[in-house]
Amino acid sequence: MENQSQDFDRVLMSVDEIWHLITSFAVSILNPGWRQNQIIILLALVLVAWVLHRLLGREIDRRVRAREGWEKWKLRVIVQIKRRLGLICFALMAGLLYQIMQQITWPSRSYLIGLTATLAVAWAVISFLGRFIQNRLLRRFVVWGMWIYATLILIGIGDEASGFLDDVGLNFGDYRISLLSVLSAAVVVGVLFTGARFISRTTASRIRSNEDISPSMQVLVVKAVQVIFYGLALFMGINALGLDLTGLAVLSGAIGVGLGFGLQKVVSNLVSGVIILLDKSIKPGDVISLGETFGWINSLGARYVSVVTRDGREYLIPNEDLITGQVVNWSHSDEYVRLDIFFGTSYGCDPHVVRKLAVEAASGVSRVLGPPKTPVCHIVGFGDSSVDYILRFWIRDPTGGLTNIRGGVYLALWDIFKANNISIPFPQREVRVLEEQD
């Protein structure tokens, strides 16, 4: 109780100091003099800046629309400048006026103008830097927090405000959380996460542009960089809050054991994903078939693999299934894929001619490779009503589909057999009708 009473007394003292400074400044403005004149000048500059914002904004829109082919980052910069054009104009005019008045009159008669110009520059810089934070709520919180902090520091009451925020808090045994520490930690976490996001994105783009690194290793390195930087940002934010991480070791261990039992499948998929990236068994762009699913790998995730089929469906296959199940990778060791087609002709057709015509038909189909992967045709058996053949040919783009290339070869066989009087037999049945005997 005694500690709470002392904290409450300190809060009242901090509030009284801040209120005294505010009231003193308000009284000095109400009295006629140079402070009041500076306020009037600043209001006039605000009005002029608003007019310039309207006029220059229209001119910028007109010039931008007249040009085509600009890069996106240039357009985004222009949009951000246009939104803050009034603040920029005000800062430039106030700064210029402050320099002029410093030369022609006493420094005290332009103090407020110089202070306001400095504040406007600080607000503009903070506003521009805040655009790097993608989360809208977090961006507003960080930007407003930095605006308030910069304003308090520049007007000279930063210590009083910090003391007031530090006095407002809660005690948990030997540990105390104040409003100042919470706000500071939130701003630090926001800035650190923004920096981590920027660094991880830059690193990821450079890694993906490096052709010497395999696609699977690129994904692994990018994930590792993201985990490292975001983890550092989180721990630094917790440290900024003043929490003792060593005291959480036992609790985090118990929570980890519980999560391990409850999230076995999730952990199994995560570990399987790391194994897939390390052994390079599959990688983005590979064509695989797993059960009835046939398609190419679109992306590798921490928990699943995205497989896109020819009909546009996207299957999210858990990593564990790719480790424990049988997977056919059509492009694992090389990009060549061999396809087989079975057909039969009648016994009256010369098999030497049939084989030659079959190879010629397959070679004339697009996507079928030529030498040294020339199509071949072999006899595989003598059936009940036909001589059975197998036609083998190679392609190097399985992502283009397998059914369509088989259909194209079958159609070429039909055309060339029809042109050369090669008959394709079909089973025939003889039905006899017996008369009933009395």
Side-chain angles (χ1 to χ4, degrees):
M1 294 295 293
E2 183 178 353
N3 292 333
Q4 293 180 355
S5 178
Q6 292 177 357
D7 293 340
F8 183 72
D9 292 338
R10 286 198 299 268
V11 171
L12 290 180
M13 292 176 61
S14 300
V15 173
D16 183 66
E17 292 178 0
I18 296 174
W19 179 253
H20 177 71
L21 293 173
I22 295 174
T23 53
S24 299
F25 180 74
V27 170
S28 64
I29 293 176
L30 294 176
N31 294 326
W34 271 101
R35 283 197 175 184
Q36 191 178 79
N37 295 337
Q38 291 179 73
I39 296 297
I40 296 174
I41 293 173
L42 291 173
L43 293 176
L45 291 178
V46 170
L47 180 60
V48 175
W50 180 79
V51 174
L52 290 176
H53 172 72
R54 303 283 292 184
L55 297 177
L56 295 178
R58 295 174 182 174
E59 182 64 19
I60 291 175
D61 288 339
R62 187 184 65 82
R63 290 182 177 272
V64 170
R65 289 191 176 94
R67 296 193 178 186
E68 297 180 355
W70 276 25
E71 298 180 1
K72 289 184 177 180
W73 69 269
K74 292 182 179 180
L75 296 175
R76 290 174 180 174
V77 171
I78 292 176
V79 169
Q80 298 304 321
I81 293 176
K82 179 178 175 295
R83 290 179 178 177
R84 295 157 182 83
L85 194 57
L87 183 62
I88 295 174
C89 292
F90 175 81
L92 292 176
M93 291 187 298
L96 180 61
L97 181 60
Y98 172 74
Q99 295 297 328
I100 295 175
M101 294 183 67
Q102 285 284 302
Q103 301 297 325
I104 63 177
T105 185
W106 296 101
S108 60
R109 295 180 178 180
S110 59
Y111 171 74
L112 288 180
I113 298 176
L115 176 62
T116 308
T118 306
L119 281 174
V121 173
W123 290 350
V125 172
I126 293 172
S127 180
F128 274 111
L129 295 178
R131 299 306 305 178
F132 288 100
I133 303 177
Q134 296 296 322
N135 187 278
R136 187 175 182 180
L137 180 61
L138 182 61
R139 179 174 67 245
R140 287 186 175 182
F141 183 82
V142 172
V143 170
W144 278 92
M146 294 300 295
W147 278 348
I148 295 173
Y149 178 76
T151 303
L152 295 176
I153 292 297
L154 291 177
I155 64 179
I157 60 172
D159 295 336
E160 290 78 2
S162 299
F164 169 73
L165 295 175
D166 190 48
D167 292 335
V168 179
L170 298 174
N171 295 322
F172 300 95
D174 296 335
Y175 182 72
R176 185 173 186 276
I177 298 180
S178 64
L179 184 58
L180 177 63
S181 62
V182 173
L183 295 177
S184 301
V187 174
V188 170
V189 169
V191 173
L192 291 176
F193 266 83
T194 301
R197 183 176 179 274
F198 177 76
I199 295 174
S200 62
R201 277 194 170 185
T202 304
T203 306
S205 62
R206 292 185 177 181
I207 291 174
R208 293 191 180 99
S209 62
N210 191 342
E211 298 180 355
D212 296 332
I213 304 177
S214 62
S216 58
M217 187 57 64
Q218 289 179 2
V219 176
L220 179 60
V221 174
V222 169
K223 296 296 182 183
V225 169
Q226 291 177 347
V227 170
I228 291 173
F229 281 104
Y230 281 111
L232 288 175
L234 178 61
F235 282 113
M236 292 176 68
I238 295 176
N239 190 29
L241 188 59
L243 292 175
D244 187 8
L245 298 179
T246 58
L248 300 176
V250 178
L251 179 61
S252 61
I255 294 175
V257 172
L259 291 176
F261 283 107
L263 302 176
Q264 292 184 13
K265 284 294 184 180
V266 176
V267 175
S268 176
N269 286 322
L270 292 175
V271 175
S272 299
V274 175
I275 295 174
I276 289 173
L277 293 174
L278 288 176
D279 65 11
K280 303 177 183 179
S281 57
I282 60 175
K283 57 186 180 296
D286 283 352
V287 179
I288 67 170
S289 58
L290 179 64
E292 297 182 356
T293 303
F294 174 84
W296 61 90
I297 297 177
N298 184 32
S299 62
L300 300 177
R303 188 180 60 84
Y304 59 83
V305 172
S306 173
V307 178
V308 180
T309 60
R310 288 287 297 170
D311 55 1
R313 297 181 181 179
E314 186 171 3
Y315 290 87
L316 305 180
I317 301 176
N319 293 327
E320 184 182 8
D321 294 347
L322 298 174
I323 293 294
T324 59
Q326 183 179 5
V327 181
V328 179
N329 192 336
W330 294 77
S331 54
H332 176 57
S333 57
D334 57 51
E335 59 185 356
Y336 297 104
V337 176
R338 193 189 73 182
L339 300 178
D340 298 337
I341 282 181
F342 296 91
F343 66 93
T345 61
S346 64
Y347 280 93
C349 300
D350 187 350
H352 300 284
V353 176
V354 171
R355 292 179 59 198
K356 180 181 178 181
L357 293 176
V359 172
E360 181 181 347
S363 299
V365 178
S366 61
R367 294 178 58 198
V368 175
L369 300 180
K373 301 288 186 180
T374 306
V376 294
C377 183
H378 301 288
I379 296 177
V380 294
F382 298 102
D384 294 336
S385 57
S386 66
V387 180
D388 299 327
Y389 299 86
I390 181 173
L391 175 62
R392 290 175 171 173
F393 57 92
W394 293 82
I395 63 173
R396 65 186 308 171
D397 55 346
T399 55
L402 303 181
T403 304
N404 54 359
I405 186 64
R406 285 195 179 101
V409 173
Y410 272 124
L411 186 59
L413 287 174
W414 176 273
D415 293 337
I416 200 168
F417 286 169
K418 186 177 181 180
N420 291 273
N421 297 320
I422 303 296
S423 61
I424 300 176
F426 54 88
Q428 298 182 8
R429 298 292 184 266
E430 182 177 342
V431 180
R432 294 184 178 181
V433 179
L434 300 178
E435 296 181 357
E436 294 183 0
Q437 297 180 358
D438 295 335

